[in-house]
Amino acid sequence: MLEEEWLYEAITETYIPLLKVFEGLKRDGIDFKITMSMTPPLVSMLRDPLLQERYDAHLTQLEELIELEAEHNVNNGHLRYLAEHYITEFKEARQLWERNQGDLVTAFKQFQDSNNLEIITCGATHGYLPLMKMYPEAVWAQIQVACEHYEQTFGQPPRGIWLPECAYYEGLDRMLADAGLRYFLTDGHGILYARPRPRFGTYAPIYTETGVAVFGRDHESSQQVWSSEVGYPGAAEYREFYKDLGWEAEYEYIKPYIMPNGQRKNTGIKYHKITGRGLGLSDKALYDPYWAREKAAEHAANFMYNREQQSEHLYGIMQRPPIIVSPYDAELFGHWWYEGPWFIDYLFRKSWYDQKTYQMTHLADYLRDQPTQQVCRPSQSSWGFKGFHEYWLNETNAWVYPHLHKAAERMIEISHLEPEDELQWRALNQAARELLLAQSSDWAFIMRTGTMVPYAVRRTRSHLMRFNKLYEDVKVGKVDSGWLEKVELMDNIFPEINYRVYRPL
């Protein structure tokens, strides 16, 4: 399945490489600090025994393919060199996977326990909160279910939340405070347009009137990594994402290693570098990990130097320690930007040994050390196109919202029911799961981007159809137990959910 392939790519190319970096830093006595959100769906997938078993088989298949590649390229020095690079990489991934018995969540948790990693939560299913604010119960469910799931996973309540798509609306902070959250992140303009205008812009958090702190994304450091024009990932020495063995090898040769239906896919084995702007894929030169590592070290040094200059400049103006918040999608590091984990590794090592101007910190630790901050009302905002809600509400996806709103109304209605038996209890809880899954902002996002649109439409419709059948069955008091069992197996997220979370606040 497509979504499983995305998960396997993320595990091999992002989460295992990040864990390798963290292990190396810890081993070498570097007291690193990094914050990472782990969404409830990601945690649930990483902990699912069936998906763990299937990932193990996926990794075995990759190991087999790269051994085959090494044999086939025995007389091609450079391709053989690259194949051996991937053999080592997959071997190390296998070792880390087996060392942790396939439980990467616990592997990350150990770094949280040592205060090197601050794991924050997100909305339960990444629902776009400003577009459901007319149903506060639905917003509350997204927040509360996420917080409960986090505590069940990590043994403590979350301190912070990455709002889905950084999307904030006025009044949301009240719910975050009621859920026990201490801070959230927003895009820069969410703070810059706050009322009153914050004295220190995005370089200090603000407190809302409910006592929750707000941190804003720093544009300068974000652009240095993100920007396709000036960002590091576009360097000629780095690996080219769009030339993959899965699409380039002869079909009969690669067929055992692609999708079961014969559809080609990315394997993660890529032999070429970006080479230069404006070149076609056929003009790309062969990749060399040695020189790519050198470039990652160079970029890490540049990023460190720029943060030193920025910090000194800001301190001179503010006369107090500024905070520079530089958030990125996790999958930038390793998946999209293959050298990203190397960059992080070098950045932490250089920051530890080569400078004394700034220190890495967790947002909660900064609040503890700098408890006095300005009180303001953040502006409605998101980190999407044009900075507000247009990307998730436009001509491509507006059709979904009347259905989502009706489902929210119905869920609030049946949240008042008291189940007559265990079957009805299960049906009510499953209805809550289906609504949460239907609300994922990913579906509207995919519809807007124009890629994989039938998949996003199918997911939205299937969750809504299941929800509506559950609603109708509960209302007439006749739940189809066989059908319910199948749906519970398919959509088994949040095993501890309680549908009463939708009762009016």
Side-chain angles (χ1 to χ4, degrees):
M1 291 175 65
L2 194 61
E3 51 267 64
E4 285 187 27
E5 289 296 326
W6 291 341
L7 174 68
Y8 304 153
E9 284 181 3
I11 291 172
T12 308
E13 298 171 10
T14 295
Y15 294 108
I16 285 178
L18 285 176
L19 281 168
K20 281 166 56 180
V21 168
F22 297 167
E23 286 181 354
L25 293 169
K26 192 76 175 168
R27 181 190 63 235
D28 295 341
I30 296 168
D31 189 23
F32 67 96
K33 306 280 185 188
I34 191 167
T35 298
M36 190 169 142
S37 70
M38 295 190 75
T39 66
L42 173 64
V43 169
S44 300
M45 288 188 289
L46 290 176
R47 291 211 121 161
D48 186 281
L50 177 61
L51 291 177
Q52 290 173 346
E53 186 181 315
R54 288 181 177 175
Y55 175 74
D56 197 275
H58 168 86
L59 187 55
T60 299
Q61 200 175 43
L62 272 182
E63 292 169 311
E64 183 183 303
L65 174 58
I66 199 60
E67 290 287 354
L68 203 58
E69 279 293 288
E71 290 173 24
H72 277 211
N73 293 297
V74 70
N75 295 318
N76 185 324
H78 200 128
L79 288 180
R80 171 79 189 191
Y81 158 63
L82 286 169
E84 287 173 350
H85 167 76
Y86 287 119
I87 286 173
T88 301
E89 185 168 276
F90 295 152
K91 181 182 177 183
E92 290 176 356
R94 164 70 64 192
Q95 289 169 345
L96 188 144
W97 176 257
E98 291 182 351
R99 192 163 64 248
N100 291 284
Q101 290 86 49
D103 185 359
L104 300 187
V105 174
T106 299
F108 281 112
K109 180 181 180 295
Q110 69 180 343
F111 293 107
Q112 166 139 303
D113 294 342
S114 63
N115 201 36
N116 295 110
L117 178 63
E118 169 91 0
I119 300 175
I120 61 176
T121 191
C122 190
T125 56
H126 215 253
Y128 198 84
L129 304 181
L131 296 181
M132 57 177 84
K133 68 178 181 180
M134 63 289 295
Y135 299 104
E137 299 88 347
V139 177
W140 174 251
Q142 281 280 345
I143 297 166
Q144 182 62 15
V145 169
C147 289
E148 289 173 358
H149 185 265
Y150 182 102
E151 190 159 3
Q152 290 153 13
T153 303
F154 297 106
Q156 63 185 59
R159 297 192 287 186
I161 185 169
W162 177 266
L163 291 180
E165 316 294 3
C166 276
Y168 176 79
Y169 66 89
E170 196 161 319
L172 179 57
D173 55 300
R174 174 74 268 167
M175 289 196 208
L176 301 178
D178 290 345
L181 291 156
R182 292 180 55 198
Y183 66 84
F184 66 93
L185 292 99
T186 182
D187 207 298
H189 60 287
I191 284 187
L192 293 175
Y193 297 135
R195 304 186 309 277
R197 187 69 62 89
R199 182 180 175 194
F200 299 122
T202 58
Y203 300 113
I206 58 174
Y207 281 114
T208 71
E209 291 159 346
T210 59
V212 180
V214 193
F215 291 88
R217 180 167 70 130
D218 171 50
H219 175 74
E220 183 181 325
S221 59
S222 296
Q223 186 183 43
Q224 282 187 307
V225 175
W226 261 133
S227 170
S228 58
E229 299 299 318
V230 299
Y232 302 136
E237 293 86 350
Y238 288 152
R239 193 179 77 162
E240 172 59 59
F241 177 82
Y242 292 101
K243 275 179 79 71
D244 187 281
L245 186 67
W247 298 94
E248 306 212 317
E250 290 182 11
Y251 185 73
E252 289 305 317
Y253 169 77
I254 201 69
K255 189 176 178 182
Y257 305 100
I258 53 177
M259 300 288 278
N261 63 2
Q263 181 184 335
R264 287 181 181 263
K265 66 167 188 178
N266 283 341
T267 63
I269 298 170
K270 305 173 198 286
Y271 291 141
H272 296 82
K273 62 181 179 179
I274 291 170
T275 310
R277 291 186 184 277
L279 291 177
L281 288 180
S282 59
D283 299 319
K284 303 290 184 177
L286 288 173
Y287 176 64
D288 191 329
Y290 175 86
W291 292 112
R293 268 190 181 275
E294 291 291 306
K295 182 57 72 172
E298 180 186 316
H299 281 154
N302 176 258
F303 191 86
M304 180 187 77
Y305 172 78
N306 288 330
R307 299 293 73 72
E308 287 183 279
Q309 300 301 306
Q310 188 181 15
S311 300
E312 285 181 345
H313 174 70
L314 290 168
Y315 187 83
I317 296 170
M318 295 168 60
Q319 293 300 302
R320 55 178 285 177
I323 183 136
I324 299 167
V325 181
S326 307
Y328 313 97
D329 281 351
E331 287 180 34
L332 171 66
F333 299 98
H335 175 63
W336 295 106
W337 179 21
Y338 178 67
E339 298 78 10
W342 299 344
F343 170 84
I344 289 176
D345 190 34
Y346 285 127
L347 177 62
F348 278 112
R349 292 175 186 274
K350 288 176 180 294
S351 297
W352 182 255
Y353 289 114
D354 297 348
Q355 61 83 39
K356 300 293 181 188
T357 306
Y358 65 81
Q359 62 182 24
M360 303 292 195
T361 188
H362 297 318
L363 302 182
D365 291 348
Y366 183 87
L367 290 173
R368 182 198 63 213
D369 296 338
Q370 306 288 330
T372 304
Q373 304 293 345
Q374 193 173 352
V375 177
C376 308
R377 292 184 179 180
S379 168
Q380 191 162 182
S381 54
S382 84
W383 74 342
F385 179 62
K386 298 187 181 178
F388 294 97
H389 313 316
E390 181 180 321
Y391 211 85
W392 293 271
L393 179 59
N394 53 69
E395 69 280 359
T396 69
N397 51 35
W399 65 270
V400 307
Y401 292 101
H403 300 288
L404 292 175
H405 295 339
K406 185 64 179 177
E409 284 178 16
R410 287 180 153 193
M411 189 66 232
I412 295 163
E413 175 196 340
I414 60 176
S415 73
H416 291 278
L417 297 177
E418 288 301 329
E420 296 172 4
D421 52 33
E422 193 210 350
L423 191 61
Q424 196 174 50
W425 165 259
R426 285 166 47 204
L428 287 162
N429 286 335
Q430 192 61 36
R433 290 186 191 99
E434 297 299 337
L435 175 57
L436 288 168
L437 289 166
Q439 287 172 332
S440 171
S441 66
D442 296 347
W443 315 140
F445 183 88
I446 292 171
M447 291 174 206
R448 174 63 181 82
T449 60
T451 57
M452 312 298 297
V453 172
Y455 168 75
V457 170
R458 186 172 72 249
R459 287 296 301 269
T460 304
R461 285 180 172 162
S462 63
H463 291 306
L464 284 168
M465 286 168 64
R466 289 170 200 161
F467 171 83
N468 285 321
K469 175 170 170 51
L470 287 161
Y471 169 82
E472 286 156 10
D473 286 0
V474 164
K475 288 288 284 183
V476 298
K478 290 184 179 178
V479 176
D480 183 337
S481 61
W483 179 83
L484 174 60
E485 197 171 325
K486 289 177 186 174
V487 173
E488 286 174 325
L489 199 61
M490 283 190 291
D491 299 331
N492 61 357
I493 197 169
F494 308 125
E496 306 294 323
I497 198 169
N498 186 328
Y499 72 94
R500 296 186 183 97
V501 72
Y502 280 96
R503 288 186 176 177
L505 303 170

